[in-house]
């Protein structure tokens, strides 16, 4: 494991529930997921904290919800908001939330599985990359989308390095407010990128489900599109684009390039409060 940061609940406004199935719906917009989490929170918080009540409420909530985008990826009805302001997502059956009793066996996995599971981001992201995601995505919806998308994080940093022809230290991006804001804008394309299918059958690099119900890994068919690979393409796929023409693909690449250039400019421009060197600007 290369990350020492607690990726699930790292503080700083960020939190994640992706492996509990949070995003596993065709409509995984912020508004739709907020409604679902608020409903689950209200219902689960309203029942006695014992296994019988939690199992019953989990079954009831399962009946109500929309079908999963990827049938084999489980969606747990015991995920909800941990705070009154609905800023933090997490497990409503965790002993720290229930006040002592562990009710995670009432969800879609065993409590032991929930306790032990770590997603691939724990192994593939560095601490510095994780710190950058936490700083750039200080809300549950965007943080969960980005922290679980290792290829997006790595791909964005690689593009910035190519643009600058120099290595990029993620901590240096965190330390420069203009650069961090530009990183936030690039990562936010996971939520806001224009021109994608509103009724998504894809999820980032994944989709549609294969015959077994598992997510399939998407690639671009350059021959069918009549074009060639470009450095931005990994990020374009991670953003959920499924371009059906070379023009649409080029527009998505250009969008990514503009954001990458903004980050590079912010890193390479001296901050406004940077002291003038002796003999310059001193009259
Ligand atoms: S997807 Fe990864 S970071 Fe998110 S809650 Fe699960 S283990 Fe934690
Ligand atoms: S019971 Fe397990 S799967 Fe369900 S919300 Fe809690 S941690 Fe996630």
């Amino acid at each position: 494991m290369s990350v020492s940061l607690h990726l699930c609940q790292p503080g700083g406004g960020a939190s994640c529930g992706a492996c509990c199935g949070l995003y596993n719906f065709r409509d995984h917009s912020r508004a739709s997921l907020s409604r679902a989490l608020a409903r689950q929170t209200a219902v689960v918080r309203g029942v006695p904290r014992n296994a019988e009540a939690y199992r019953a409420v989990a079954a009831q909530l399962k009946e109500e919800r929309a079908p999963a985008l990827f049938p084999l990826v489980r969606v747990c009805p015991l995920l909800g908001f941990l705070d009154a302001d609905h800023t933090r997502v997490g497990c409503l059956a965790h002993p720290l939330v229930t006040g002592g009793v562990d009710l995670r066996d009432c969800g879609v996995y065993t409590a032991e599985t929930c306790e032990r599971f770590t997603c691939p981001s724990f192994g593939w992201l560095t601490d510095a990359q994780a710190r950058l995601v936490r700083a750039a995505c200080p809300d549950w919806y965007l943080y969960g989308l980005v922290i679980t998308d290792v290829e997006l994080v790595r791909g964005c940093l690689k593009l910035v390095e190519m643009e600058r022809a120099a290595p990029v230290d993620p901590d240096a991006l965190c330390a420069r407010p203009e650069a961090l804001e530009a990183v936030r804008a690039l990562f936010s394309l996971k939520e806001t990128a224009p021109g994608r299918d509103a009724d998504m059958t894809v999820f980032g690099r994944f989709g549609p489900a294969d015959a077994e119900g598992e997510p399939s890994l998407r690639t671009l068919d350059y021959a069918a599109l009549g074009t060639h690979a470009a450095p931005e393409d990994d990020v374009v796929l991670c953003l959920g684009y499924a371009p059906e023409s070379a023009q649409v693909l080029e527009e998505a690449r250009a969008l990514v390039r503009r954001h990458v250039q903004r980050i590079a400019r912010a890193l390479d421009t001296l901050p406004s409060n940077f002291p003038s060197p002796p003999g310059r600007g001193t009259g």
Side-chain angles (χ1 to χ4, degrees), residues 7-8 16-19 117-119 122 147-148:
L7 295 187
C8 316
C16 180
C19 60
F117 180 78
T118 52
C119 67
F122 279 81
I147 199 67
T148 52

Side-chain angles (χ1 to χ4, degrees), residues 142-212:
L142 188 59
Y143 176 79
L145 282 178
V146 175
I147 199 67
T148 52
D149 196 339
V150 175
E151 295 215 22
L152 175 84
V153 176
R154 287 178 170 179
C156 289
L157 289 170
K158 194 167 131 200
L159 290 174
V160 178
E161 292 188 338
M162 287 173 67
E163 180 67 24
R164 300 179 70 228
V168 169
D169 174 7
D171 286 329
L173 290 165
C174 291
R176 298 281 296 272
E178 313 85 4
L180 186 60
E181 186 51 43
V183 173
R184 189 193 320 277
L186 175 55
F187 287 162
S188 295
L189 293 177
K190 285 285 274 187
E191 180 176 3
T192 61
R196 298 173 299 176
D197 184 359
D199 187 20
M200 297 261 236
T201 54
V202 304
F203 181 73
R205 276 202 87 113
F206 298 103
D210 64 19
E212 279 82 44

Side-chain angles (χ1 to χ4, degrees), residues 44-112:
V44 175
R45 292 280 200 196
V47 302
R49 294 177 179 181
N50 62 57
E52 190 185 355
Y54 267 55
R55 283 193 200 286
V57 90
Q60 175 202 329
L61 288 166
K62 199 173 160 191
E63 285 297 310
E64 294 180 5
R65 72 168 179 236
L69 174 60
F70 303 114
L72 283 194
V73 177
R74 299 180 197 184
V75 178
C76 187
L78 300 182
L79 188 69
F81 288 120
L82 301 183
D83 61 325
D85 292 336
H86 290 187
T87 64
R88 198 171 149 215
V89 68
C91 177
L92 299 170
H94 192 284
L96 288 177
V97 176
T98 62
V101 54
D102 190 343
L103 295 168
R104 289 176 289 179
D105 278 336
C106 308
V108 292
Y109 300 106
T110 64
E112 189 186 356

